[in-house]
């Protein structure tokens, strides 16, 4: 149950696109199509932005997209907006358990 | 609307015990799997435990196995986490979260309750 590996921080200017990677193993990310991404603003509860690798819950802008290749998943945010500045966590099902990434702080310059 | 409200957090000494509760409303509680997820101060999220909709199966993170027990009372729409043999490293905000009906993702979260383990 080792944490998934994410970059500690990423940044981008308004309107630009950024991608956050999430590296796991064949026992989690690579073994299941059950990767989800959560956005967390300071002192708030997490909010799901992507689930099942690339599905968006209703209400989440289509600027948010997800993908997976092998043992690595990715979250892409296009057309960055100021309100996207937050912490982002990936999460994968790992067979009767779940594992989160360490989190990535997104700064909108 | 779906609501999850945690309670029971507080300050406890190392080796002590605490029971957290999560009161659910706005959905048919007995049909959903439920989880506890925690977040240490200025740290990332850590999955803690899951209980199936009917309580028939429970799974735990290695870090809490043998010390924490997840349970639920579907007649009271309430989820619990009994925490024993608490350690300083268990200090965190504890969130309860609902797993979607299709599984594997947490669609609703509570606001969290803070547990501080300190002498």
């Amino acid at each position: 149950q080792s944490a998934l590996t994410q970059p500690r921080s990423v940044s981008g200017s308004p309107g630009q696109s950024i991608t956050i990677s999430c590296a796991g193993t064949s026992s989690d990310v690579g073994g299941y199509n059950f990767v989800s991404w959560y956005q967390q603003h300071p002192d708030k509860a997490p909010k799901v932005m992507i689930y099942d690798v690339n599905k968006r819950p209703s209400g989440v802008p289509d600027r948010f997209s997800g993908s997976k290749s092998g043992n690595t998943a990715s979250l892409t945010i296009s057309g960055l907006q100021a309100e996207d500045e937050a912490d982002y966590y990936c999460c994968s099902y790992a067979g009767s358990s779940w594992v989160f990434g360490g989190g990535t702080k997104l700064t909108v310059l | 609307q779906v609501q999850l409200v945690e309670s029971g957090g507080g300050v406890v000494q190392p080796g002590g015990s605490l029971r957290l509760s999560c009161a659910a409303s706005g959905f048919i509680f007995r049909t959903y799997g439920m989880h506890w997820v925690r977040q240490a101060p200025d740290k990332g999220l850590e999955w803690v435990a899951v209980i199936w909709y009917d309580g028939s199966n429970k799974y735990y993170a290695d870090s809490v196995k043998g010390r924490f027990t997840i349970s639920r009372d579907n007649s009271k729409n309430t989820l619990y986490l009994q925490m024993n043999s608490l350690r300083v490293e268990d200090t965190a905000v504890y969130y309860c979260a609902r797993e979607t009906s299709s599984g594997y993702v947490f669609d609703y979260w509570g606001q969290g309750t803070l547990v501080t383990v300190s002498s």
Side-chain angles (χ1 to χ4, degrees), chain A residues 1 34 38 40 45 89 96 100, chain B residues 39 59 61-62 104-106 110:
Chain A
Q1 294 181 346
F34 299 130
Y38 300 86
Q40 186 180 35
Y89 295 90
S96 299
F100 282 93
Chain B
Q39 186 169 34
Y59 299 100
D62 289 343
Y104 310 109
V105 61
F106 317 122

Side-chain angles (χ1 to χ4, degrees), chain A residues 82-97:
Chain A
E83 59 262 35
D84 299 334
E85 184 162 294
D87 294 325
Y88 291 85
Y89 295 90
C90 61
C91 180
S92 176
Y93 177 67
S96 299
S97 67

Side-chain angles (χ1 to χ4, degrees), chain A residues 25 29-31 68-73:
Chain A
T25 70
V29 174
K68 189 184 87 166
S69 178
N71 296 336
T72 300

Side-chain angles (χ1 to χ4, degrees), chain B residues 27-103:
Chain B
F27 66 101
I28 304 173
F29 180 71
R30 67 179 184 274
T31 64
Y32 286 85
M34 296 294 297
H35 298 249
W36 288 99
V37 177
R38 68 183 181 182
Q39 186 169 34
D42 296 319
K43 299 294 184 182
L45 301 170
E46 180 187 15
W47 175 79
V48 173
V50 59
I51 184 168
W52 284 23
Y53 68 100
D54 59 356
S56 60
N57 284 286
K58 307 171 186 180
Y59 299 100
Y60 300 90
D62 289 343
S63 58
V64 307
K65 201 172 296 182
R67 301 187 299 122
F68 289 12
T69 301
I70 189 171
S71 62
R72 65 191 298 160
D73 187 335
N74 286 343
S75 68
K76 296 182 178 178
N77 291 343
T78 303
L79 175 72
Y80 302 101
L81 186 67
Q82 177 67 44
M83 304 185 295
N84 299 330
S85 303
L86 281 162
R87 305 168 179 167
V88 171
E89 55 264 34
D90 294 320
T91 295
V93 172
Y94 285 74
Y95 296 99
C96 64
R98 189 183 84 167
E99 183 176 337
T100 61
S101 55
S102 55

